Amino acid sequence: MADISASIQNRDAAGDSSGEAGPVEQTTMIEARNLDFYYGENQALFDISMVVPQRAVTALIGPSGCGKSTFLRTLNRMNDIVEGTRHTGEVLLENEDIYDSNVDVVELRKRVGMVFQKSTPFPKSIFDNVAYGPRIHGMRDRAQLAEIVEKSLIRSALWKEVKDRLKDSAMALSGGQQQRLCIARALATDPEVLLMDEPASALDPASTSRIEDLIFELKENYTIVIVTHNMQQAARVSDFTAFFYEGRLIERGDTEKLFTNPDEKQTQDYITGRFG
Ligand SMILES: Nc1ncnc2c1ncn2[C@@H]1O[C@H](COP(=O)(O)OP(=O)(O)OP(=O)(O)O)[C@@H](O)[C@H]1O
Ligand SMILES: [Mg+2]
């Protein structure tokens, strides 16, 4: 608990504009409405209603198996790839249901990009990794591609380290660099939302800190939803936090409030380490 308070204070000291009144709720980017989700017979999400504000960081926390990744993946229909899944309810992206039959899933995933826990660069050059998405979307112009690659690597805070070795294999990068490369890859298709599932859990403290700084910078331009097991991390990087338990959303609110004065006893028990 003391650690989390310190994390919140550090975050404020780092220049978060939220100040004492907490972050201002911006325009809603994503909204889940009464979302139920099933893997075959097993229901993994129960009646989730939640907003994700634009250009802010929303953290999803909760014990293992509570549905964080499942919920994250419903936001760009990544669960569609899993056989036998279904949902009821709605997920609205700027007020349009992403599960509508007329939605182009490729276009959706361009707008709502994803970064996974274990970064998995393709066994290709650094350049080709970042250019991958734009090429899939039909971009062929070499100069334009080079510009996008550079811009994405600058945004993911990797450019300085790799600018002279863009033709080298991405597999030769360190774990932390690979994770930033995967963030660059996600940024290259110019998304509006970035979904991150435990993006730093496999990294050392220095690389983790770089990723956290990066998330802080990225929220100026992107809506970010991050799953993390690490409550200190949630407290440090997020504006809003949602606590999930057994497939249900127990509480969602300002990060500072949720970690210092939650409404629900279950949240209190979790953040004070009584379970999970
Ligand atoms: N591909 C899948 N097929 C069937 N059931 C799944 C699948 N993925 C997750 N589940 C089930 O859905 C529930 C929620 O899992 P999920 O992976 O969303 O939890 P989580 O909160 O991300 O956990 P963790 O912190 O361990 O990553 C669990 O009961 C899990 O067993
Ligand atoms: Mg998970």
Side-chain angles (χ1 to χ4, degrees):
M1 195 56 190
D3 277 4
I4 292 173
S5 306
S7 302
I8 285 174
Q9 271 159 22
N10 288 343
R11 188 183 65 140
D12 285 347
D16 189 327
S17 58
S18 60
E20 280 179 12
V24 181
E25 291 270 1
Q26 291 115 318
T27 316
T28 294
M29 188 67 187
I30 296 176
E31 181 174 2
R33 282 193 191 157
N34 306 108
L35 182 68
D36 293 315
F37 187 86
Y38 303 81
Y39 293 102
E41 293 296 299
N42 285 333
Q43 186 167 359
L45 297 177
F46 297 81
D47 198 30
I48 309 288
S49 292
M50 177 174 132
V51 296
V52 174
Q54 196 174 43
R55 297 201 176 121
V57 180
T58 298
L60 311 180
I61 63 166
S64 185
C66 70
K68 303 179 296 294
S69 298
T70 300
F71 179 68
L72 192 76
R73 291 193 303 254
T74 61
L75 305 182
N76 72 346
R77 295 183 52 172
M78 249 346 170
N79 290 319
D80 285 18
I81 343 178
V82 184
E83 192 88 20
T85 58
R86 66 189 175 88
H87 81 287
T88 61
E90 295 177 317
V91 177
L92 309 177
L93 175 65
E94 290 190 316
N95 291 320
E96 284 179 42
D97 192 350
I98 64 169
Y99 287 92
D100 266 0
S101 54
N102 62 0
V103 168
D104 176 349
V105 180
V106 174
E107 190 58 30
L108 169 70
R109 297 202 185 120
K110 185 172 175 297
R111 292 182 66 191
V112 186
M114 192 153 195
V115 177
F116 301 92
Q117 172 173 13
K118 274 225 77 206
S119 51
T120 42
F122 306 125
K124 292 168 174 277
S125 72
I126 293 168
F127 185 98
D128 287 345
N129 263 273
V130 184
Y132 184 83
R135 277 179 176 145
I136 283 199
H137 289 283
M139 182 168 293
R140 289 285 170 271
D141 186 280
R142 185 84 200 169
Q144 251 181 311
L145 278 173
E147 197 179 309
I148 289 175
V149 168
E150 176 173 346
K151 197 173 102 185
S152 305
L153 287 167
I154 289 172
R155 287 200 163 165
S156 75
L158 188 60
W159 176 247
K160 279 189 195 139
E161 288 152 76
V162 302
K163 65 178 166 35
D164 299 321
R165 48 191 283 215
L166 295 176
K167 289 195 177 130
D168 288 6
S169 169
M171 308 315 272
L173 297 172
S174 74
Q177 289 173 329
Q178 288 189 7
Q179 191 59 292
R180 279 178 282 142
L181 180 70
C182 290
I183 293 171
R185 197 170 66 190
L187 297 178
T189 54
D190 204 18
E192 293 155 64
V193 182
L194 265 190
L195 309 177
M196 300 179 151
D197 198 344
E198 306 197 44
S201 67
L203 303 180
D204 62 53
S207 303
T208 298
S209 165
R210 293 209 66 163
I211 299 283
E212 289 182 5
D213 290 347
L214 177 59
I215 290 169
F216 197 84
E217 283 163 29
L218 290 174
K219 77 171 179 179
E220 289 220 351
N221 295 304
Y222 303 91
T223 301
I224 297 175
V225 187
I226 178 175
V227 171
T228 175
H229 257 114
N230 179 327
M231 286 189 273
Q232 280 76 23
Q233 181 167 73
R236 280 193 300 265
V237 304
S238 72
D239 302 292
F240 303 96
T241 298
F243 170 57
F244 283 72
Y245 185 63
E246 294 184 342
R248 292 186 164 79
L249 175 63
I250 304 300
E251 181 168 357
R252 177 261 177 217
D254 286 5
T255 294
E256 188 160 353
K257 163 140 183 11
L258 190 133
F259 280 113
T260 52
N261 183 24
D263 289 332
E264 302 297 327
K265 180 170 184 307
Q266 276 170 306
T267 314
Q268 179 71 24
D269 288 348
Y270 184 68
I271 62 174
T272 53
R274 245 164 267 164
F275 70 91

